[in-house]
């Protein structure tokens, strides 16, 4: 048999086992091996039943996603799965770990499904911009109710075995080794004379309510997956299941799958799947570097960030000592954490006892000495350099030798902060995004003296607390906030040229941004950004129009949502245009001699995005970010950039770097040439008709050759 597919026969039960670490992703070799195995077993009369299982951490975790870019070579999924379904003897799927995508679909093609208690089953294809393409849209609603099938695919959330059993997807749940349990189950089937049970021959469950179900789901999908094509296509395939015979429905599924696999949406989401995993790989940082243990954490500052960071750690079961200078601040911080958990309990996403056990993992403290045993201490005090330096000087005294000292600064120079300690090698930037218990991104900032084991430990901690860690080097604003600067600058300048906040934000939200940049500033606090820029020195002297609107708002105390007014007014929490603010921006623009060009929607979009991308190219050229795909991960998991566009650098490649370069040269002529200077990397790639993807591949090859 092939090295990934093995067959053994125990009494009259054949066991077909697949072993392709790490997650048994189904590729050509597995398909070919299964085809061969099931064909051979058809000619073995002594075999009365077959058990299909996998070695390692999980049953098949889906199709090998890499094959979408390299091409899916024969045998086809449909042919292999049909052969399994047509087996003359019962086939039992033995499911453990996370059966996902084609992993769930192959189980649907089996006649019986057995799972162990920890197993989960899902059809998460929409997370990759595709639909289940190996029969899942046609077979699933024949085993579980149509509505439940639609929910499973629209949510992409794997369901636990217990729920799958309730719905009829799983026949039984076994304790212990699932293959052994499945062999016993198969023997029972044989002894009871039970034969194959082909899913495709079953009627669709709940087809009579199909019209209502699809109407509801379409509305739901349109709301939660704005700008995406695949959800509606999924419903189209499910509709075919409800209305057509199996084989015709399968044809509909196949044509939709082929169409979606080529789409930019799917290419973008597949790009991010691998980009998020590649972000953990740091060239030159050997996987053999010993990680430091992190079993207890100290947090300095019980404000919004400190509270959210504490929750991220206790949610992962890691106890936290939360320190603040005053009892009042500490009580307020703890009350906010409890309020956040109470909201989750009221939504049913957390049990009350889980809330209590998490609150118990937080120990409040007023004295730095309480941090003396923590393995990792993270400072989350106000974004002021003096305060950060003072805090690190105290941490240097209080923290134990070997403790990792993290700073949650979002812009400041971490080398300077580290210099406040006698152990700069233990200092690293851990930049969380608000709300820190929710936002997936963790920008891990490697300072000049940060030790390799500290960096390796930080990357591991990110995974432990279910964050997407991306490594950046030290510069003003690291990757994310540095690129945000020119993006916000253009948005603000458009206001001085006669656009309204609504004009700017609606263009960005139509593009797919979770929220327009000006609404983001109102949420974060207009003053935060203003004072950070003020700390940069003479930026306003050099260019009085530079972020002029936010300066004017801050001067008036119109600080955004927290003061009920910023770029917009907030009436009972509802965002509404503010005619007085708009007039303020326009009058100021005229007073400063800014041409009242009232930029078009397309121009606003290009200026904001191309400024972002151009700065991204500088960040890459300077080595602040390792890969273009890292920037894409930062922006899609921390700044609300639409995942279905793949991130700013992936998006740039879809637009074409030459077009962006030419447009920047145009802006250089028509707008402020001080800002519209093409980044050298962008210029090089545009002139070479190349792309950030190609540049990244060349960098990787170059690094591999050098190592
Ligand atoms: N294809 C290729 N590689 C995969 C893979 C897959 N499906 N799943 C994981 N890997 C690699 C991953 O890149 C990483 O590699 C290593 O395995 C460990 O993964 C026809 C078309 C299973 C829950 O969407 O959700 O079936 O970085 O770090 O945290 O309808 O991986 O070490 O080199 O994520 O323990 C549907 C995707 C496919 C599941 C494990 N399936 N995978 O999480 O490990 S589409 C999915 C996951 C499909 C059919 C359609 C997770 C996991 P490297 P990891 P983990």
């Amino acid at each position: 048999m092939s090295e990934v597919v093995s067959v053994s026969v125990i009494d009259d039960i054949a066991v077909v086992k697949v072993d392709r670490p790490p997650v048994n992703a189904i590729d050509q070799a597995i398909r070919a091996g299964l085809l061969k195995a099931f064909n051979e077993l058809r000619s073995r009369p002594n075999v009365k039943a077959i058990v299909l299982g996998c070695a390692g951490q999980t049953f098949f975790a889906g199709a090998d996603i890499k094959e979408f870019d390299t091409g899916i070579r024969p045998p086809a999924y449909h042919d292999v799965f049909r052969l399994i379904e047509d087996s003359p003897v019962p086939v039992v799927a033995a499911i453990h770990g996370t059966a996902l995508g084609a992993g769930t679909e192959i189980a649907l093609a089996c006649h019986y499904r057995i799972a162990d208690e920890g197993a989960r089953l899902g059809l998460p294809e929409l997370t990759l911009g595709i639909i289940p393409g190996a029969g899942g849209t046609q077979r699933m609603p024949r085993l579980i109710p149509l509505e439940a099938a639609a929910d499973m695919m629209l949510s992409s959330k794997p369901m636990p075995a217990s729920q799958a059993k309730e719905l009829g997807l799983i026949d039984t749940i076994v304790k212990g080794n699932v293959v052994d349990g499945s062999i016993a189950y198969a023997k029972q089937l044989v002894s009871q004379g039970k034969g194959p049970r082909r899913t495709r021959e079953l009627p669709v469950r709940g087809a009579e309510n199909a019209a209502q179900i699809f109407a509801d789901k379409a509305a739901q999908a349109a709301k939660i997956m704005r700008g995406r094509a695949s959800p509606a296509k999924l419903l189209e395939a499910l509709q075919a299941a409800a209305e057509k015979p199996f084989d015709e429905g399968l044809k509909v599924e196949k044509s939709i799958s082929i169409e979606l696999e080529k789409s930019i949406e799917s290419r973008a989401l597949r790009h991010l799947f691998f980009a998020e995993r590649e972000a953990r790989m740091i060239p030159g940082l050997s996987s053999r570097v010993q990680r430091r243990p992190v079993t207890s954490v100290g947090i300095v500052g019980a404000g919004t960030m400190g509270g959210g960071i504490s929750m991220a750690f206790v949610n992962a079961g890691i106890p936290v000592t939360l320190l603040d200078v005053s009892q009042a601040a500490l009580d307020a911080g703890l009350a906010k954490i409890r309020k956040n958990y109470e909201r989750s309990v009221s939504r049913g996403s957390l049990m009350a006892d889980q809330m209590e056990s998490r609150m118990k993992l937080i120990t409040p403290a007023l004295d730095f000495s309480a941090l003396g045993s923590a393995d990792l201490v993270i400072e989350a005090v106000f974004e002021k350099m003096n305060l950060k330096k003072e805090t690190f000087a105290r941490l240097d005294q209080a923290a134990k030798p070997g403790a990792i000292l993290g700073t949650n600064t979002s812009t400041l120079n971490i080398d300077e902060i580290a210099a406040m300690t006698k152990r700069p090698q233990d200092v690293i930037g851990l930049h969380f995004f608000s709300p820190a218990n929710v936002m997936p991104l963790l920008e891990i900032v490697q300072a000049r003296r940060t030790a390799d084991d500290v960096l390796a430990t930080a990357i591991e901690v990110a995974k432990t607390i279910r964050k997407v860690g991306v490594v950046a080097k030290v510069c003003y604003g690291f990757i994310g906030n540095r690129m945000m600067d020119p993006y916000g600058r253009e948005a603000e300048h458009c206001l001085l040229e006669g656009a309204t906040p609504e004009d700017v934000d609606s263009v960005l939200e139509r593009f797919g941004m979770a929220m327009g940049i000006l609404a983001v500033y109102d949420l974060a606090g207009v003053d935060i950004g203003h004072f950070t820029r003020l700390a940069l020195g003479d930026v306003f002297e050099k260019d009085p129009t530079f972020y002029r609107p936010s300066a004017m708002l801050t001067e008036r105390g119109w600080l955004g949502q927290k003061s009920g007014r910023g770029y917009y007014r907030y009436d009972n929490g509802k965002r509404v245009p503010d005619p007085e603010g708009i007039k303020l921006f326009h009058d100021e623009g005229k007073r400063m001699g800014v041409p009242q060009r009232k930029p078009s929607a397309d121009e606003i979009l290009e200026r904001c995005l191309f400024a972002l991308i151009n700065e991204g190219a500088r960040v890459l050229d300077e080595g602040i970010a390792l890969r273009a795909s890292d920037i894409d991960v930062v922006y899609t998991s921390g700044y609300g950039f639409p995942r279905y566009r793949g991130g700013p650098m992936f998006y740039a490649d879809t637009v074409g770097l030459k077009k962006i370069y030419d447009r920047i040269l145009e802006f250089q002529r028509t707008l402020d040439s001080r800002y519209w200077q093409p980044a050298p990397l962008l210029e090089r790639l545009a002139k070479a008709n190349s792309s950030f993807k190609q540049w990244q591949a060349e960098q990787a090859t170059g690094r591999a050759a050098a190592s």
Side-chain angles (χ1 to χ4, degrees):
M1 207 27 58
S2 75
E3 77 274 1
V4 287
V5 179
S6 62
V7 177
S8 55
V9 179
I10 304 159
D11 304 334
D12 54 5
I13 309 295
V15 177
V16 177
K17 202 157 203 184
V18 172
D19 187 3
R20 185 173 172 267
V23 295
N24 293 307
I26 303 175
D27 64 356
Q28 193 278 341
I30 291 178
R31 292 193 300 277
L34 288 171
L35 196 80
K36 194 159 181 288
F38 278 86
N39 269 324
E40 272 168 14
L41 286 170
R42 291 174 80 87
S43 58
R44 300 192 44 183
N46 61 323
V47 170
K48 300 290 182 259
I50 301 169
V51 169
L52 171 62
C54 291
Q57 73 178 64
T58 180
F59 192 70
F60 306 100
D64 184 336
I65 303 167
K66 290 195 193 73
E67 284 195 337
F68 289 108
D69 299 321
T70 56
I72 299 175
R73 290 170 296 129
Y77 285 94
H78 289 295
D79 301 340
V80 177
F81 292 9
R82 180 64 69 111
L83 180 69
I84 293 173
E85 192 170 45
D86 286 346
S87 161
V89 297
V91 180
V92 179
I95 302 164
H96 74 294
T98 46
L100 299 170
T104 296
E105 291 172 293
I106 197 170
L108 296 174
C110 296
H111 306 135
Y112 301 88
R113 283 151 292 278
I114 311 300
D116 68 11
E117 288 160 319
R120 298 185 308 149
L121 295 91
L123 290 171
E125 278 82 350
L126 276 190
T127 61
L128 300 167
I130 52 177
I131 64 170
T137 64
Q138 306 304 306
R139 289 193 175 94
M140 186 59 81
R142 285 174 160 80
L143 271 181
I144 71 174
L146 179 62
E147 180 155 20
D151 288 340
M152 185 183 192
M153 297 177 209
L154 282 170
S155 71
S156 291
K157 282 208 182 66
M159 67 172 68
S162 52
Q163 187 188 355
K165 179 155 186 337
E166 270 162 39
L167 287 168
L169 175 53
I170 292 288
D171 293 284
T172 191
I173 295 175
V174 295
K175 290 191 184 326
N177 179 288
V178 70
V179 173
D180 297 344
S182 302
I183 294 170
Y185 188 87
K187 286 189 169 153
Q188 257 179 27
L189 290 173
V190 173
S191 65
Q192 295 159 356
K194 286 193 174 156
R197 202 179 53 169
R198 298 189 172 89
T199 309
R200 73 169 185 270
E201 292 162 0
L202 299 170
V204 168
R205 296 177 58 188
E208 61 284 2
N209 316 319
Q212 189 54 51
I213 291 171
F214 292 133
D216 297 350
K217 302 304 169 193
Q220 189 192 322
K223 218 163 79 217
I224 55 173
M225 290 185 247
R226 202 162 44 89
R228 300 198 42 194
S230 51
K233 289 286 175 188
L234 170 69
L235 295 175
E236 217 178 288
L238 285 169
Q239 196 148 12
E243 296 165 0
K244 298 177 188 296
F246 180 83
D247 286 330
E248 281 180 44
L250 209 58
K251 286 199 193 99
V252 173
E253 177 194 281
K254 216 183 261 182
S255 69
I256 291 175
S257 293
I258 292 165
E259 177 197 337
L260 288 176
E261 279 159 26
K262 293 198 277 304
S263 68
I264 288 184
E265 175 186 334
S266 180
R267 285 175 33 225
L269 292 165
R270 295 189 323 250
H271 161 72
L272 287 174
F273 177 85
F274 289 112
E276 284 167 356
R277 283 152 182 82
E278 195 177 356
R280 294 181 223 150
M281 319 286 191
I282 309 303
L285 182 66
S286 127
S287 58
R288 285 188 303 284
V289 168
Q290 190 66 34
R291 276 73 174 150
R292 298 189 191 179
V294 176
T295 58
S296 61
V297 170
I299 307 283
V300 182
T304 306
M305 291 310 293
I309 298 169
S310 302
M311 291 174 75
F313 280 95
V314 294
N315 291 352
I318 300 174
V320 163
T321 300
L322 179 58
L323 179 127
D324 209 306
V325 287
S326 76
Q327 191 61 49
L330 212 43
D331 296 345
L334 290 168
K336 191 151 185 208
I337 292 172
R338 176 170 286 279
K339 200 152 159 265
N340 282 337
Y341 279 133
E342 280 165 354
R343 198 176 308 123
S344 305
V345 171
S346 64
R347 283 204 203 117
S349 58
L350 189 70
M351 309 297 281
D353 59 344
Q354 287 175 310
M355 170 176 70
E356 293 312 330
S357 54
R358 291 179 189 189
M359 289 304 293
K360 284 205 185 75
L361 284 175
I362 303 175
T363 308
L366 289 169
D367 194 298
F368 270 76
S369 63
L371 303 173
S373 62
D375 298 321
L376 163 66
V377 182
I378 303 175
E379 156 281 309
V381 301
F382 281 119
E383 188 72 355
K384 287 199 171 28
M385 185 54 108
N386 299 347
L387 188 54
K388 302 270 185 195
K389 285 183 170 180
E390 191 194 307
T391 305
F392 267 73
R394 297 184 70 178
L395 279 179
D396 196 27
Q397 303 303 317
K400 70 178 181 183
I404 295 175
L405 305 180
T407 167
N408 182 52
T409 179
S410 55
T411 57
L412 300 172
N413 185 323
I414 299 174
D415 294 321
E416 248 182 82
I417 294 172
M420 296 306 293
T421 74
K422 296 182 213 47
R423 48 175 127 179
Q425 73 283 0
D426 297 339
V427 176
I428 191 163
L430 296 174
H431 178 206
F432 288 78
F433 290 74
S434 185
N437 55 312
V438 177
M439 291 300 282
L441 179 63
L442 177 59
E443 211 174 19
I444 299 170
V445 187
Q446 181 185 11
R448 208 172 37 251
R449 304 273 303 275
T450 301
D452 279 359
D453 65 338
V454 169
L455 179 60
T457 305
I459 294 168
E460 190 167 274
V461 164
K463 193 167 183 195
T464 307
I465 60 174
R466 307 178 76 72
K467 298 290 181 196
V468 182
V470 176
V471 173
K473 291 282 178 53
V474 172
C475 72
Y476 168 76
F478 320 128
I479 298 174
N481 285 349
R482 168 158 169 193
M483 289 170 64
M484 192 75 146
D485 210 49
Y487 171 71
R489 179 202 68 225
E490 287 306 309
E492 289 234 344
H493 207 276
C494 290
L495 299 179
L496 297 177
E497 297 169 35
T500 68
E502 193 87 11
D503 294 337
V504 172
D505 283 348
S506 60
V507 165
L508 296 171
E509 287 166 13
R510 266 200 308 281
F511 174 78
M513 298 300 287
M515 195 186 256
I517 181 66
L518 303 173
V520 169
Y521 287 155
D522 269 356
L523 179 70
V526 178
D527 53 329
I528 306 289
H530 177 64
F531 290 120
T532 309
R533 284 182 288 276
L534 211 51
L536 291 176
D538 59 355
V539 283
F540 298 123
E541 285 72 32
K542 281 196 204 120
D543 170 13
T545 69
F546 183 72
Y547 278 93
R548 181 70 189 133
S550 59
M552 297 165 75
L553 293 174
T554 307
E555 286 150 14
R556 285 164 181 73
W558 303 356
L559 310 179
Q561 290 192 18
K562 62 185 175 188
S563 59
R565 183 176 197 180
Y567 298 91
Y568 301 91
R569 269 184 181 284
Y570 295 86
D571 295 350
N572 310 323
K574 196 165 174 311
R575 186 171 92 190
V576 293
D578 178 2
E580 189 185 347
I582 293 168
K583 185 171 181 322
L584 189 72
F585 304 141
H586 296 172
D587 291 353
E588 182 68 358
K590 290 176 196 143
R591 187 187 68 76
M592 301 177 105
V594 174
Q596 295 302 295
R597 307 173 50 257
K598 194 149 178 46
S600 68
D602 288 350
E603 181 186 320
I604 292 173
L605 186 66
E606 287 184 332
R607 283 170 61 176
C608 292
L609 293 182
F610 294 176
L612 183 78
I613 291 162
N614 195 41
E615 193 65 22
R618 291 185 203 291
V619 161
L620 287 172
D621 230 357
E622 295 167 25
I624 301 298
L626 266 170
R627 291 163 284 243
S629 61
D630 286 357
I631 294 179
D632 291 332
V633 174
V634 163
Y635 263 77
T636 51
S637 56
Y639 291 81
F641 196 99
R643 291 183 64 83
Y644 62 86
R645 293 191 187 273
M649 310 319 271
F650 180 93
Y651 171 71
D653 283 352
T654 61
V655 173
L657 301 190
K658 183 73 173 64
K659 176 172 176 216
I660 295 174
Y661 173 68
D662 293 344
R663 198 70 174 110
I664 289 177
L665 291 180
E666 238 173 278
F667 289 147
Q668 191 181 78
R669 285 190 298 278
T670 55
L671 300 171
D672 193 324
S673 60
R674 288 175 296 180
Y675 299 126
W676 288 105
Q677 298 293 328
L681 175 63
L682 179 69
E683 183 165 3
R684 290 198 303 275
L685 296 176
K687 288 183 174 163
N689 214 5
S690 181
S691 67
F692 288 120
K693 183 176 180 182
Q694 210 168 330
W695 173 83
Q696 181 166 326
E698 286 152 12
Q699 295 286 302
T701 319
R703 274 195 288 264
S707 65

